[in-house]
Amino acid sequence: MMPVPAPRTSTWQSLRRAAVGGLIVSLVSATTADAAGMIRDAETEGLIKTYAKPILNAAGLSGQAVDIHIINDRAFNAFVVDGHNMFIHAGALMDAKTPNQIIGVIAHESGHITGGHLARLRNQISRAKSAALMLQLLGLAAMAAGAVAGAGELGQLGMGAAYGGTDAAMRMVLAYRQDEESSADQAAVTFLNATHQSARGLLETLEFMNSKLFGVQGINPYLQSHPLPPQRLAQLRTLAQSSPYFDVKDPPELQVRHDLVKAKLFGFLDQPETTFNRYPPTDLSLPAAYARAIATERKSGVEAALPQLDALIAAKPDWPYFYELKGQFLFESGNVADAVPPLRQAVALAPDEPLIRILLAQALLAMPGMKNVDDAISNLRTALARETTSATGYRQLALAYGRKGDAAKAAGARQQYLAQAELASAEAYFYEGRLKLAKQQAKRAKAGFVDGTPNWLRADDILAFQVPTTE
């Protein structure tokens, strides 16, 4: 499990400007992720993909490459920023009692994508800006008239109009948002029905949101008094309960996976004592043992956690993520040689999980011997074919090729390995958003490749890349 830094500021500011479809107030919640960052974890991402696949198929989005990202934030929230990126807060996974609740969230966000709500929101915001400007101009004119006439009330009215222009514009956008939320709910029920899944989870989620949203001090009164939220819930309740699949339950094996991911997130993100209180020794379930093993390692180190990790593996020997966790903890503690066997077993059980292969490659590169370097390169190449934007993966690949170049005896072979190292380094910088350094490395790499070859073309692509301009 790997928390990673938030995207670079310009990217994340664009995300905040564009966010639409949050089950709470996405534009506010997204801001917290700027500091908190993202979470990368093979087990959690695999579960989310399992939830999302049938919904995206039903929505006609399976060919659109929709990526779902996990934000390290405890708020229950989710939102989309365009037709290709959906964001779910860790808090949503940690608070959801059933898979169906998260599946409902994914269906709702998919409804925003298929409804083209983001493009419409941009248009509405543009209109709202115009309305705000007009109100401000009218307000300033009224203040001027009041000053000339000596009419205090007129001047105060003008001041209210001038400073209230932005608030009026916001109410205009929020009213529009409520309509889009209802539309996304209806689309979600359609997708859930098409996949023979219940809309109960979505209804439960929105009822939970409603109980938290209303009556809370400090929230804009418009959000408390606007009549659409209860209407929205009533409409969704009617739609959900009329579905022939309303009483369909999640498969037991999916519920187990859901509970394991929840336990993992609590183990990593909560303080160890909080985790021990949430999952006391009297709880003999597998998820509870999972959470306690993670909390034990965080509090007392890997040696204290090893018996618990081994007990998890004995209880479910076909579960790759228990081996991955053991390997991760051993690697992070400096026991590299001991980390490799469980990581190899995790890869054997989950060969299509690129994040596990990258971790195995890191462990292999921390050990001596060119055989380990070759093994690392093989795993990294396989991983990067799927995880194409992993700066960590490319950074490890650059290290591996650098070691190959240093060990090469023939000048030609050395030049090729070092050029590949420079290209991998350029890729790493590129996906970190450090474009100047990426171009410097790409220029050196390009000089070492034959014109027109795939590596030469990729280096040339990085050199030619320009940051897209945004409004």
Side-chain angles (χ1 to χ4, degrees):
M1 175 164 183
M2 297 176 284
V4 298
R8 295 178 68 81
T9 303
S10 60
T11 302
W12 202 246
Q13 286 174 342
S14 299
L15 185 155
R16 289 203 300 269
R17 286 196 298 268
V20 62
L23 292 176
I24 309 179
V25 184
S26 298
L27 293 175
V28 175
S29 297
T31 306
T32 63
D34 208 1
M38 313 294 287
I39 289 173
R40 297 302 314 276
D41 176 65
E43 182 178 13
T44 306
E45 292 177 5
L47 181 65
I48 293 295
K49 288 176 183 177
T50 298
Y51 291 164
K53 185 176 180 179
I55 294 297
L56 296 177
N57 286 340
L61 298 173
S62 58
Q64 196 164 313
V66 177
D67 292 322
I68 303 180
H69 313 275
I70 305 164
I71 294 179
N72 183 8
D73 190 289
R74 280 294 277 114
F76 194 125
N77 199 4
F79 56 92
V80 294
V81 298
D82 54 27
H84 301 281
N85 292 281
M86 186 183 299
F87 293 79
I88 297 178
H89 285 210
L93 293 166
M94 296 163 79
D95 289 342
K97 293 179 173 62
T98 65
N100 187 245
Q101 290 178 350
I102 297 298
I103 293 168
V105 168
I106 293 171
H108 173 94
E109 300 307 324
S110 298
H112 281 298
I113 295 175
T114 59
H117 295 170
L118 184 62
R120 295 178 191 174
L121 178 64
R122 286 172 177 155
N123 180 59
Q124 191 71 10
I125 290 173
S126 178
R127 291 172 56 195
K129 286 179 181 177
S130 298
L133 178 60
M134 181 60 68
L135 283 168
Q136 288 170 343
L137 290 174
L138 290 172
L140 292 171
M143 283 191 285
V148 171
E153 288 186 4
L154 183 60
Q156 291 177 359
L157 177 63
M159 185 176 294
Y163 288 101
T166 301
D167 188 57
M170 180 59 72
R171 289 198 299 272
M172 180 178 174
V173 172
L174 287 173
Y176 170 82
R177 286 285 304 279
Q178 294 292 355
D179 290 339
E180 299 291 37
E181 293 297 314
S182 294
S183 173
D185 291 342
Q186 294 175 40
V189 174
T190 299
F191 304 150
L192 291 163
N193 285 340
T195 56
H196 297 185
Q197 297 183 92
S198 176
R200 183 191 295 273
L202 177 59
L203 178 60
E204 290 171 343
T205 296
L206 291 180
E207 287 175 337
F208 169 77
M209 295 300 166
N210 189 56
S211 70
K212 294 294 183 183
L213 183 62
F214 288 90
V216 179
Q217 294 297 320
I219 292 180
N220 188 313
Y222 173 82
L223 294 176
Q224 292 177 300
S225 61
H226 197 283
L228 277 176
Q231 291 179 15
R232 178 185 171 195
L233 278 176
Q235 292 170 357
L236 177 60
R237 189 174 294 111
T238 299
L239 279 172
Q241 293 177 348
S242 65
S243 168
Y245 308 107
F246 185 69
D247 292 323
V248 171
K249 304 293 184 184
D250 295 308
E253 62 274 14
L254 196 61
Q255 183 67 56
V256 170
R257 290 181 62 188
H258 181 85
D259 292 341
L260 285 171
V261 163
K262 282 184 61 172
K264 188 176 198 177
L265 290 169
F266 279 120
F268 272 106
L269 301 181
D270 275 353
Q271 293 298 318
E273 291 302 328
T274 303
T275 302
F276 292 137
N277 289 333
R278 186 183 299 276
Y279 295 97
T282 53
D283 187 341
L284 302 179
S285 67
L286 198 62
Y290 202 13
R292 288 195 299 268
I294 296 167
T296 297
E297 193 279 339
R298 293 181 63 213
K299 180 181 180 181
S300 305
V302 68
E303 292 300 326
L306 277 176
Q308 298 177 53
L309 294 167
D310 289 336
L312 287 169
I313 290 171
K316 196 173 175 62
D318 62 344
W319 197 238
Y321 308 108
F322 292 160
Y323 296 96
E324 177 200 19
L325 186 68
K326 180 179 179 179
Q328 176 185 338
F329 284 159
L330 287 167
F331 174 69
E332 291 174 348
S333 69
N335 299 317
V336 179
D338 291 336
V340 169
L343 289 174
R344 286 195 188 278
Q345 184 61 25
V347 167
L349 290 169
D352 295 331
E353 290 286 4
L355 295 181
I356 303 179
R357 286 187 180 272
I358 291 172
L359 181 56
L360 171 59
Q362 286 181 283
L364 289 167
L365 288 173
M367 298 175 64
M370 293 309 299
K371 184 178 184 301
N372 288 323
V373 174
D374 291 337
D375 197 358
I377 290 174
S378 176
N379 277 283
L380 288 167
R381 284 296 185 193
T382 301
L384 290 169
R386 289 177 173 269
E387 190 71 17
T388 58
T389 63
S390 172
T392 299
Y394 285 113
R395 186 74 63 208
Q396 295 302 309
L397 190 61
L399 175 61
Y401 277 127
R403 287 177 61 181
K404 290 283 286 185
D406 290 342
K409 295 180 180 179
R414 185 181 305 112
Q415 181 182 348
Q416 281 299 301
Y417 285 134
L418 293 179
Q420 288 176 305
E422 287 162 342
L423 178 58
S425 183
E427 297 272 19
Y429 283 130
F430 182 83
Y431 291 115
E432 289 170 350
R434 303 163 74 180
L435 191 56
K436 182 177 179 180
L437 290 172
K439 287 177 179 287
Q440 289 174 356
Q441 291 289 332
K443 183 177 181 180
R444 285 196 287 266
K446 185 178 176 182
F449 296 125
V450 176
D451 289 10
T453 59
N455 285 335
W456 185 94
L457 290 171
R458 179 53 189 152
D460 189 61
D461 286 342
I462 293 173
L463 285 168
F465 180 82
Q466 297 295 326
V467 178
T469 57
T470 57
E471 296 180 1

